[in-house]
Amino acid sequence: MLVILQLLPRGPHSKFTFRVTTKDAREGDHPLDSANQQEAQCRRGKEAHVTPNSNYWMKYAIRVAQRASQSGRRVGIALVSEHGKLICSAFEGEVRGASWYRTLRSKMQELRISSAHGAYLTINTLSAAGSFELAELLKEVRIDRVYIGLPDPALTRYLEDDPITARGHVHRFPDDLQREILEQNRDLYSASAQNIECNPHYSTHRISEAVSTRLQSSGFALSRSDVNANRGKVALASLICQRYGIDYEEADRAVNDALSEAFDAKYGTYDYAYDARAANARWTDDFKSVYGRSSTRPLSTANIINVGVGAGYEAAALFSDCPQITFVDIAESGLASIGERIPSSRTVVSSAEDLSALPEKNFDLYVSLRTYNSSFFDTSAAVSEAHRVLKPGAVIIVSVANGFLYTQRGCVVPGLIIPGTDFVDIYRGMDTANLIGAELDRIGFKNIQMFPTSTEIYLSAVTA
């Protein structure tokens, strides 16, 4: 049984109320049925729904969008029948002064079409009145499946009528096609408040660039594009093997060294002045609230493993009074820092995907905050290792970062960065949380719960 507990903040520093819905995760339907902004349903991962046929129509919609004027939004849509045939398509400005939505509705009325099996839309656009044009279309036309590329560049907060968060059958274009849409609309997205350049730390410290630089210094001339196209550790190591004719162990060692240095440089001396939590002074209360709803054991008496320590600031804030704690990270400087702050702790240099240095069924609580959304992260392997080291009935709490601090304005830009770009996708945090929830369920965790907050999305579960 997959249980999603939805966190409904009433104000920036208010207490939280909860709405709970349950559904068997194996029925195939989406577990949530709410249309309320960030507390709306968490959607299935987009990759699971990208078939060769759907991929063709996504690319087709992008080609349609290419016909739009470069001076405005370049948006395209394709409607497809249940037999995989094109019904009609439209693009922004196809009819002078008309949106893609108006043009498409006119074509459908001429064809006397009132339904479609699939709709492939490159951008989930907002109208001049601030409503979602796709939402208007779905009120008038029955569409079985909807595929969306990117949010409108003007969208900077979660809205109630957003069809992506309000409907369970809306899926996403894969990352490579999202990047094509960004390129089509480069000026619009570059000027958007969702551009990561609003945060100097993240705009200048990119993991892919650091990995590429480290690999080049080791004699493997991989570009940032190569790294972004092979964001799994196995994929990157395999590429090095293919290009340089070395054995996999050597390539894997080079990739692990590059990742360790990259994360150490970015997070080992991380400055929380650039962190979204700077806009949420109560983030420690959020964590304790999640833990309190997941376990009755006092935190100070639990045997804890904290994976992904970073610079150690959050660990010090949460676990200073916890005598039984093990910290794990691939970045040694962060571990050294937390070791000094909490001398009684044990530190282990390792990745979340490989906890082989630690025994099975040993811990009462596994915590990993804002690590599972990291670059080159293998969620399946990490969840499997978490399950292995936890005792029966133990608790896992992970969180997904869901925002970046807009330093000049002191507010949070919601979402996560699309790999290889400077754009923060407002939907991506929920995408990622949903994928993690599915992995927790697959491995055998029970009582899976989700707690969205203003800066991150928590998930908790219990070992069977």
Side-chain angles (χ1 to χ4, degrees):
M1 182 71 71
L2 180 61
V3 182
I4 304 294
L5 228 63
Q6 296 174 273
L7 195 62
L8 307 180
R10 293 190 296 266
H13 302 299
S14 62
K15 293 182 179 179
F16 295 110
T17 59
F18 294 86
R19 176 181 305 154
V20 183
T21 56
T22 65
K23 194 169 186 71
D24 191 318
R26 293 173 180 83
E27 289 180 12
D29 293 332
H30 201 281
L32 297 182
D33 189 21
S34 167
N36 191 18
Q37 55 166 8
Q38 188 174 6
E39 300 79 45
Q41 71 201 53
C42 177
R43 293 160 290 106
R44 290 192 187 102
K46 59 180 177 287
E47 299 293 344
H49 300 280
V50 179
T51 65
N53 190 56
S54 64
N55 197 62
Y56 170 84
W57 289 113
M58 291 178 205
K59 292 179 178 179
Y60 182 89
I62 292 172
R63 291 197 300 271
V64 170
Q66 193 67 26
R67 296 157 60 188
S69 170
Q70 294 186 8
S71 61
R73 292 184 309 199
R74 307 187 82 177
V75 185
I77 185 171
L79 290 187
V80 179
S81 73
E82 61 181 344
H83 303 294
K85 303 295 184 182
L86 179 68
I87 297 173
C88 60
S89 64
F91 60 87
E92 191 87 351
E94 181 175 353
V95 174
R96 186 178 180 84
S99 68
W100 65 264
Y101 162 67
R102 294 296 177 193
T103 302
L104 186 74
R105 288 298 291 129
S106 177
K107 289 182 177 182
M108 294 187 72
Q109 288 166 2
E110 289 179 11
L111 295 169
R112 297 184 179 180
I113 297 294
S114 60
S115 65
H117 178 67
Y120 299 82
L121 178 63
T122 60
I123 298 176
N124 185 29
T125 53
L126 289 164
S127 69
S131 62
F132 290 96
E133 292 172 306
L134 175 61
E136 296 301 316
L137 178 67
L138 293 173
K139 290 176 185 177
E140 302 163 344
V141 180
R142 182 183 66 80
I143 300 175
D144 297 328
R145 278 195 173 182
V146 178
Y147 292 81
I148 295 292
L150 294 178
D152 191 300
L155 185 65
T156 57
R157 61 189 179 92
Y158 299 98
L159 301 177
E160 284 194 17
D161 65 336
D162 190 336
I164 285 191
T165 55
R167 300 174 69 94
H169 70 304
V170 177
H171 314 298
R172 301 295 305 281
F173 285 36
D175 292 350
D176 59 333
L177 299 186
Q178 290 185 15
R179 286 191 285 266
E180 285 191 36
I181 299 167
L182 280 172
E183 185 61 28
Q184 280 186 333
N185 296 272
R186 181 188 297 178
D187 292 344
L188 287 176
Y189 284 100
S190 294
S192 167
Q194 295 290 114
N195 191 310
I196 198 56
E197 288 185 1
C198 67
N199 185 306
H201 179 81
Y202 281 91
S203 62
T204 57
H205 293 76
R206 306 300 295 271
I207 293 295
S208 57
E209 291 179 0
V211 169
S212 175
T213 299
R214 177 63 176 82
L215 288 173
Q216 287 180 27
S217 70
S218 301
F220 305 114
L222 269 61
S223 67
R224 181 181 171 188
S225 296
D226 290 330
V227 172
N228 282 324
N230 297 272
R231 293 187 72 82
K233 287 192 287 187
V234 173
L236 197 54
S238 298
L239 177 64
I240 293 172
C241 289
Q242 179 183 350
R243 285 197 182 176
Y244 292 92
I246 62 174
D247 61 44
Y248 183 81
E249 283 191 11
E250 183 181 351
D252 184 58
R253 188 163 52 251
V255 170
N256 283 330
D257 289 346
L259 286 172
S260 180
E261 288 194 16
F263 280 98
D264 213 4
K266 184 169 183 176
Y267 297 112
T269 56
Y270 184 60
D271 186 350
Y272 266 71
Y274 295 116
D275 195 279
R277 285 181 180 157
N280 178 18
R282 297 173 63 91
W283 71 268
T284 56
D285 294 334
D286 290 343
F287 173 83
K288 291 172 184 176
S289 175
V290 172
Y291 178 72
R293 287 167 172 81
S294 306
S295 176
T296 58
R297 177 194 291 269
L299 190 63
S300 61
T301 67
N303 187 6
I304 304 167
I305 177 172
N306 182 197
V307 177
V309 177
Y313 294 118
E314 67 182 18
L318 295 172
F319 305 124
S320 291
D321 297 327
C322 299
Q324 302 179 79
I325 188 158
T326 299
F327 296 111
V328 179
D329 204 294
I330 62 173
E332 295 186 30
S333 60
L335 288 175
S337 174
I338 196 61
E340 292 175 359
R341 292 167 185 249
I342 306 179
S344 62
S345 65
R346 178 188 179 187
T347 60
V348 177
V349 180
S350 188
S351 69
E353 298 95 329
D354 180 12
L355 301 178
S356 56
L358 299 170
E360 295 183 4
K361 299 179 181 179
N362 187 58
F363 297 98
D364 304 306
L365 173 63
Y366 173 108
V367 178
S368 188
L369 304 182
R370 305 191 303 180
T371 297
Y372 277 50
N373 53 266
S374 300
S375 302
F376 305 95
F377 195 83
D378 186 339
T379 300
S380 180
V383 170
S384 179
E385 280 291 84
H387 193 273
R388 185 184 66 80
V389 301
L390 285 172
K391 299 174 183 176
V395 173
I396 180 173
I397 298 176
V398 301
S399 76
V400 174
N402 196 39
F404 297 85
L405 185 66
Y406 196 142
T407 51
Q408 290 88 345
R409 298 181 182 177
C411 63
V412 174
V413 176
L416 288 174
I417 300 171
I418 298 172
T421 78
D422 295 321
F423 182 70
V424 181
D425 183 341
I426 195 171
Y427 307 128
R428 198 174 184 90
M430 296 302 285
D431 282 340
T432 304
N434 186 62
L435 288 171
I436 295 169
E439 284 296 328
L440 291 169
D441 184 54
R442 186 185 67 81
I443 292 296
F445 284 94
K446 62 181 182 179
N447 300 337
I448 303 169
Q449 305 178 82
M450 184 180 295
F451 305 81
T453 74
S454 61
T455 54
E456 57 199 291
I457 304 166
Y458 290 91
L459 293 100
S460 72
V462 177
T463 52

